[in-house]
Amino acid sequence: HPPAFPAWVAVVVDVVVEVAEVRSRSIRYDIRVEKLNGQEAARGKLAIACVRMDPETGALASAAVPERMARLLRTPSSI
């Protein structure tokens, strides 16, 4: 849906990024941009794929999200 207000250059906003899903080879985030009063300006999603790059060819191949990272991303945070 369209934003409730335009975000001009001089407007201070909060960007809220939340982990929506941690899969074996990717991570999905939900993102909201809000005015300081909580009014939503924009929302979106961001998907990150975990890959390995072959150092000789530069070719990318799908890789597993490291378990430690996956565990940390699945742990609720108060940051």
Side-chain angles (χ1 to χ4, degrees), residues 4-76:
F5 73 96
W8 305 104
V9 175
V11 174
V12 177
V13 296
D14 283 327
V15 177
V16 181
V17 179
E18 297 176 329
V19 176
E21 183 179 22
V22 179
R23 300 183 74 174
S24 63
R25 297 179 181 272
S26 64
I27 304 163
R28 188 173 54 83
Y29 298 93
D30 290 333
I31 302 168
R32 289 187 324 277
V33 179
E34 302 174 344
K35 282 179 93 172
L36 295 181
N37 67 2
Q39 186 179 16
E40 184 177 281
R43 103 174 46 171
K45 296 181 182 297
L46 175 67
I48 304 292
C50 189
V51 298
R52 292 195 188 278
M53 183 175 74
D54 183 303
E56 294 180 16
T57 66
L60 300 177
S62 178
V65 173
E67 184 53 41
R68 181 168 185 248
M69 177 183 284
R71 188 173 54 254
L72 288 170
L73 289 170
R74 288 183 183 114
T75 302

